[in-house]
Every structure is written in structure tokens, then in C-alpha cells.
Amino acid sequence: MTPFNYAMPYASQRMPVMAKNIVATSQPLAAEAGLHMLRQGGNAVDAAIAAAITLTVVEPTSNGIGSDGFSIIWDGATLHGLNASGRAPAAWTPDYFDQKYGKSTAMPVRGIDSVTIPGAVSQWVALSEKFGALDFAQLFAPAINYARNGHMVSPITAASWARQAEMIAEPDFQRDFVRSLGHHSGAPRAGETWKFLDQANTLEEIAATRGKSFYSGALAEKMVAHSRALGGAHTLADFASHRADWVGTIQADYHDVRLHEIPPNGQGLAALICLGILENFDLRALGVDSLASVHIQLEAMKLAFADAYRYIADPQYMNMPVSQLLDKTYTASRAKLINLNRATVPTFGVPKHGGTVYLTTADASGMMVSLIQSNYMGFGSGVVVPGTGISLQNRGHGFVRDISHANCVAPSKRPFQTIIPAFLTTLDNQPLMSFGVMGGHMQPQGHVQMVTRMRDYAQNPQAASDAPRWIVNPDDTISLEDSLMTSIGEGLQALGHTIAIPEGVNFAFGGAQLIWRSNDGYIAGSDHRKDGHAVGF
């Protein structure tokens, strides 16, 4: 029988999901795994962990067992922030890379020298130990089942898989993720069943040892041995010394709401700086998706990124306090740089001294979780530890090799991270929304767009997710989704913006998941740009 064409040629409308218990993820099987834990008597944290573990199996194009992670948790009374990103091996110095790769400013994009110590497993453990209601091993059951017995690959995941199969040449990746399924070779197609027994066995070992095998046992030994075989510098001591840190949140007010982000080394600071700049304008007086509104947001985002790329690093190495970058006097001064009639070339300021997956869950008790984990660039480094199914992230690429920069590679240091969960509260810190927008460079921009759409233009979570997006690219060109391009593209070009087609146009604008807290329960939105959905009861 001829297979279906999974292109979706007609516009469709998703409705917001309303319930007292909700899970929203980028893949339906992961959402259902989280919901299953809630039905078993678990809480929002149990649901989030189970969904996160399942995503490593059903959406390996964006995350894996060797990912990093961050999360923000509302426990019913207080916000908690967790940084479970990994650090560089102790042998990583600028000289290490100079000797192997010559004098250059670039870090390796793939391969073993792009791999920092993976932190996602430590996130699962830390969350369960602090907040979990169910047995840790119970949370692994859906993922193990899908890895061992198979699951049907969803359409957007299949498209990403096929694209990356052509891009990633590393032998490990080709061996384990581009293999024959019996009737054809290459990436699995939409609707085909994918099994990965090695991954099932590894998840069982992590569950049985509460993660200890991953950092100080048999799995750690396998990862270190494979690193050595590839000429890498990772040691057992590097894995054993890894820890996830409870770090709280940083925040900025925007009119009547407060956005919370994880502190650096993540790029959430860029979203806060941008909102601090935008608070000096009255976007509400401008039409939603209007030329004037989008122009101001683009210019504010460019200024925020200029500061982010100059200053964000492992907090132990930052030479500019976060408080100074978020100072209202400083963000007001940055706002004055925006020309309402012309695009500008941004530079960083000097304040006066003075591929990712995202999911969110909420339960009837009031607990809410905003969680993100990622390999970074799709499948990550391309390094997959033989016999384990552990695909390792390439977060080391987030470092720079300029010794004068705060984010220069150094032993046991955390690199600049793109992945950021978000949380919105009232000005007196009462919970409003757990949310995130996956997608590398898009993430802080997505946070800004969700907040402005919901607070300036009163759009509900699903409408805010569905709305067309803009993105400021790393080279300060901009890209627009089709309806924005049609309506205001020429106007933005007339203002001096350079419009470009982003690499991976189908994936460039990210994927949002949002849960808004109401008086009677929760209202959730889930991005049509991903395979997933929101589910609840």
C-alpha cells in the first residue's frame, strides 16, 4: 500500500486544553507517559521526569540519555531552579584545543571534543529525590517499553531524523541511528517502528542504580573507555565529580507579570534583558503583528543578544553581575538606542557599576514544572557509546577559545547554554504559567514572544503558540514565518532589516509548550510545529 504523505496542506486549529492535571510535551507518547504517572498517584514532578525519560526514546532527534537539562519547579509555595548542565573535562584547556586543532577561535562542532559531562540523568535523580512521590524506577517503565518493544516514529521527528542522517557523518551515529530496519536502510520513516534494545538496557540500569552507574559505575566506565578510544580526555573523575545544582531563578518584571529564568550559564538572561528594554515601549498601543510592534521587538532582541554573547558564562567566570544587566536604568538606556524608523547594528553595552525538548506539567495540588533537556544540535556530538544507546550532547561547542572572553573553555567549567525553561508569576510571586520554547537560538526570543502576546495582546496559550514567529539570527539577519513575511516583510526591509531564510526552515522557529494557571485548573497550549500535544484530566 502506498504510504501517506505527511505534509499537512490545510490550516488547522488547535484548542487550548483545560484540566486540573496537565502534561504538555513535543511528542504524544511522552505526554501520555507523564499523564500515566499522574493517574498512578504521582505529582507534576513525577510526570515531568517520566515524560523527559520517554522523550530520549521517542524523540532522539533532539535529546537523549547523554543530554543536559534545566528545570524550574513551583512546589505549591516557592519556586526552585535546577541547573543540571555538565562541565568540561579537567583536561580541557585552551592549550589542549590549540595542540589538537591549531590556533583558532572555534570549538569543535561534533566529535568527542564537543562533549561535556552529560547532566540530564542527574536532573532526573535530583528532581525525584527532592519532590518525587513515586518510586524512581517506576518512572522509567514507559520509556523502557518503547525502547524494547518499539514505537511508531512520528512525522516531524522522522523529518528531522532524515535531515540529520545526511548531515552527521560520525560513525557512531551512522551505526546506531541510521541502520537497516529490514525493508530499507537509513533514517526511519514516519509511522515505522523503531526499537533500540541497548537504550532499554541502559535505562533499566539507570533506574536500578538511581543514576549511580551513569556517574560512578559501569556506564561511566563505558563512556570513559569510548572517549579514550576516540582520543578524548574524559576521565572517571570527571563523571564522579558532576553534580546538579539548585540555583534559584533570576527575574525581570514586565508590566504586571514577572518572568523567571535560570541564572547563567543559560541564555535566559537575554529574554529578561529584552523584556526590560521592551517595558519602555507601549506595545499594547500597537497592533498585534504590526510592523511597528515587530520592529521594536526585533531591535530589543538584537540589543539583548549583544549583551548575552558578551557577558554570559559559567557564573564563576562572569565579569558582569546579572543585577547590573537587568538594572532598569540600564535597560532604559538600551531602549533609547532603538530607532523607530530604522534597523540598527547592535553592540554590547557597559552597565554602570551600581537539537532541544521542552515539557511542562501541572497537578491538582498546585505543583508546576518547567523542564528542558537537549543534545544541543539535534543528535548532538554524533558520539554514541557502543552497546548503550547513549548519544552524547555537543555542549562543549558552546565555549569559545578566546582567552580574554568570560566563556573561554577551561577545566571543569560550564559552557554557555542555549536551553532555558521559563516561569511566569505575578509581581507578588504567585504562579501564572510554566512554559518554554525549544529551539537553540530561538528560545529567549520565543519566551519574549509568548509573554508579549499574552500580556500585551491577551492571546490565550494556544493562540500565542500558534501565532507566526520572528527570529533574530546569530548574524543579526532576521527570519519570519510565512504570514508575517507576507504582511510586514517588505516594511521591515524598508526599515533596513536584512531578511534571510534560516537553516532548517521547518525547525527554526521552535516549539512551545505552555500551562497557564487559572482559578479552576490549568489552560495549556502545545505547538503545532512539533508532533506533541497537551493532555489532561
Side-chain angles (χ1 to χ4, degrees):
M1 179 182 293
T2 303
F4 291 120
N5 179 347
Y6 284 99
M8 306 300 285
Y10 307 113
S12 119
Q13 176 179 298
R14 291 185 177 189
M15 297 303 295
V17 174
M18 303 177 183
K20 295 188 182 299
N21 300 273
I22 286 190
V23 179
T25 81
S26 55
Q27 212 284 342
L29 299 180
E32 295 293 343
L35 198 68
H36 178 69
M37 298 305 157
L38 290 171
R39 291 189 182 279
Q40 297 300 306
N43 58 29
V45 166
D46 295 311
I49 299 169
I53 297 167
T54 302
L55 281 167
T56 68
V57 176
V58 299
E59 196 177 340
T61 52
S62 300
N63 78 131
I65 301 171
S67 286
D68 274 355
F70 298 84
S71 50
I72 300 174
I73 302 92
W74 174 261
D75 66 4
T78 306
L79 274 182
H80 305 263
L82 181 65
N83 182 337
S85 64
R87 297 168 177 83
W92 278 18
T93 64
D95 186 60
Y96 172 85
F97 288 93
D98 287 347
Q99 290 190 25
K100 290 191 72 172
Y101 299 97
K103 296 287 185 179
S104 170
T105 59
M107 290 289 291
V109 176
R110 303 200 192 270
I112 196 61
D113 285 326
S114 69
V115 180
T116 53
I117 303 304
V121 172
S122 70
Q123 174 164 248
W124 307 339
V125 174
L127 289 174
S128 180
E129 288 180 346
K130 193 174 183 70
F131 297 111
L134 298 178
D135 181 72
F136 186 63
Q138 187 176 346
L139 309 178
F140 286 73
I144 292 170
N145 173 59
Y146 290 130
R148 187 172 301 283
N149 298 314
H151 72 281
M152 295 169 67
V153 176
S154 46
I156 293 174
T157 298
S160 177
W161 208 321
R163 178 171 173 265
Q164 294 186 65
E166 296 179 353
M167 294 171 54
I168 304 174
E170 274 66 25
D172 287 341
F173 170 75
Q174 293 290 325
R175 178 195 66 232
D176 281 344
F177 285 102
V178 188
R179 50 184 161 89
S180 173
L181 297 182
H183 49 286
H184 76 87
S185 60
R189 298 166 183 164
E192 290 185 329
T193 297
W194 176 264
K195 300 179 182 180
F196 203 164
L197 299 183
D198 290 344
Q199 196 175 44
N201 294 334
T202 291
L203 290 172
E204 285 179 338
E205 184 164 346
I206 292 170
T209 64
R210 296 189 63 83
K212 291 181 180 178
S213 178
F214 195 87
Y215 294 107
S216 60
L219 291 176
E221 291 172 356
K222 291 178 181 179
M223 287 185 280
V224 169
H226 193 49
S227 175
R228 289 173 179 165
L230 295 176
H234 304 75
T235 67
L236 288 174
D238 292 328
F239 278 85
S241 63
H242 171 80
R243 67 185 186 279
D245 298 318
W246 294 100
V247 294
T249 63
I250 55 176
Q251 55 278 324
D253 297 345
Y254 183 70
H255 302 312
D256 59 345
V257 297
R258 178 168 293 156
L259 177 63
H260 297 258
E261 301 275 356
I262 295 288
N265 53 315
Q267 65 173 335
L269 178 59
L272 300 180
I273 295 171
C274 185
L275 285 180
I277 295 170
L278 289 175
E279 195 172 30
N280 294 277
F281 299 89
D282 186 7
L283 294 186
R284 296 177 186 182
L286 307 174
V288 63
D289 299 327
S290 68
L291 174 62
S293 176
V294 173
H295 169 68
I296 291 169
Q297 292 178 67
L298 287 167
E299 292 296 283
M301 198 71 245
K302 290 178 184 178
L303 290 165
F305 272 133
D307 281 347
Y309 292 142
R310 173 62 181 85
Y311 296 118
I312 291 177
D314 185 315
Q316 296 182 51
Y317 295 81
M318 283 182 67
N319 52 24
M320 182 62 67
V322 168
S323 59
Q324 291 182 22
L325 291 165
L326 295 178
D327 180 81
K328 288 185 178 293
T329 301
Y330 175 65
T331 53
S333 72
R334 300 290 275 167
K336 291 178 181 178
L337 299 176
I338 294 178
N339 185 331
L340 299 181
N341 300 307
R342 193 69 187 167
T344 58
V345 178
T347 59
F348 65 85
V350 181
K352 294 181 180 179
H353 291 287
T356 301
V357 292
Y358 173 82
L359 65 92
T360 178
T361 62
D363 66 34
S365 75
M367 181 177 282
M368 302 174 73
V369 178
S370 179
L371 184 151
I372 201 160
Q373 65 186 23
S374 171
N375 283 337
Y376 190 21
M377 296 180 178
F379 279 94
S381 64
V383 177
V384 187
V385 182
T388 69
I390 299 173
S391 59
L392 295 170
Q393 38 84 331
N394 59 333
R395 284 292 166 187
H397 181 63
F399 283 121
V400 299
R401 292 170 62 187
D402 177 357
I403 60 174
S404 68
H405 198 288
N407 187 41
C408 182
V409 62
S412 304
K413 181 179 181 179
R414 281 173 161 150
F416 178 100
Q417 284 266 359
T418 58
I419 56 174
I420 47 173
F423 204 96
L424 203 66
T425 68
T426 61
L427 297 183
D428 59 353
N429 291 319
Q430 294 304 302
L432 287 175
M433 182 169 68
S434 53
F435 74 108
V437 182
M438 65 195 80
H441 187 69
M442 179 66 200
Q443 292 181 53
Q445 310 187 59
H447 291 188
V448 168
Q449 290 174 68
M450 296 305 106
V451 172
T452 57
R453 286 188 175 282
M454 297 181 70
R455 302 319 294 155
D456 287 318
Y457 302 115
Q459 293 184 338
N460 69 66
Q462 188 61 55
S465 170
D466 289 343
R469 294 188 188 139
W470 49 261
I471 183 172
V472 175
N473 298 311
D475 61 359
D476 285 330
T477 62
I478 67 168
S479 298
L480 307 170
E481 289 196 292
D482 287 346
S483 63
L484 276 182
M485 186 64 198
T486 299
S487 62
I488 63 172
E490 289 186 1
L492 288 171
Q493 287 177 309
L495 291 175
H497 293 279
T498 300
I499 297 179
I501 298 174
E503 183 181 0
V505 63
N506 294 328
F507 307 99
F509 295 96
Q513 310 293 332
L514 314 92
I515 298 178
W516 180 273
R517 182 168 179 160
S518 72
N519 292 333
D520 299 309
Y522 302 100
I523 303 168
S526 184
D527 209 311
H528 67 279
R529 300 167 185 84
K530 298 293 180 179
D531 287 313
H533 59 200
V535 290
F537 66 90

